[in-house]
Amino acid sequence: FQLQASGGGLVQPGGSLRLSCVYSEITLDYNAIGWFREAPGKGREKISCITNSDGRTIYADSVKGRFTISRDNAKNTVYLQMNSLKPEDMAVYFCAATIDSQCRVITRRGQETLVTVSS
């Protein structure tokens, strides 16, 4: 069971990016897929989470109203649409499968993708 993130890049403040997380197969040891980010000196932050069973979503306060998580089960892909990007959004982003429905316990961490927000 693997997860591969992509879609990062350089964007100006106020711009948009869409991250994709492709997972290889559905397993029984996870209940949700989340997006997380890590920036120097800030530690890991849970950005958003979407459950496998019913598509319920969770967002961090820092991204509410700007980011949208969604999934396409036919493509085994979870997306993170990021709008109105700010310099403080700059970080390494990764997706992960979690054993709980609120993305608190990571069971599989996927590859990272770098998001740079700069003018």
Side-chain angles (χ1 to χ4, degrees):
F1 182 69
Q2 296 180 341
L3 304 99
Q4 292 184 317
S6 63
L10 172 63
V11 63
Q12 293 184 341
S16 299
L17 283 174
R18 188 177 77 160
L19 305 184
S20 299
C21 174
V22 179
Y23 51 93
S24 60
E25 63 185 40
I26 295 176
T27 69
L28 296 177
D29 62 352
Y30 84 97
N31 285 294
I33 290 181
W35 283 100
F36 302 81
R37 67 186 181 190
E38 295 175 339
K42 292 184 178 181
R44 180 185 299 173
E45 180 182 14
K46 180 177 70 180
I47 298 302
S48 187
C49 177
I50 186 165
T51 59
N52 183 42
S53 59
D54 57 7
R56 283 178 292 124
T57 59
I58 296 173
Y59 295 95
D61 288 342
S62 58
V63 304
K64 277 182 181 177
R66 299 188 298 123
F67 291 11
T68 302
I69 192 170
S70 61
R71 67 189 304 152
D72 185 336
N73 291 330
K75 296 182 178 180
N76 283 3
T77 302
V78 172
Y79 302 99
L80 184 69
Q81 177 66 43
M82 306 187 296
N83 299 328
S84 302
L85 282 162
K86 305 175 181 179
E88 51 262 44
D89 294 317
M90 185 164 59
V92 170
Y93 286 70
F94 66 93
C95 56
T98 66
I99 199 169
D100 65 297
S101 62
Q102 296 183 336
C103 294
R104 290 172 296 188
V105 181
I106 293 175
T107 54
R108 294 286 189 278
R109 174 172 173 157
Q111 292 182 334
E112 302 168 347
T113 187
L114 177 63
V115 172
T116 303
V117 184
S118 176
S119 56

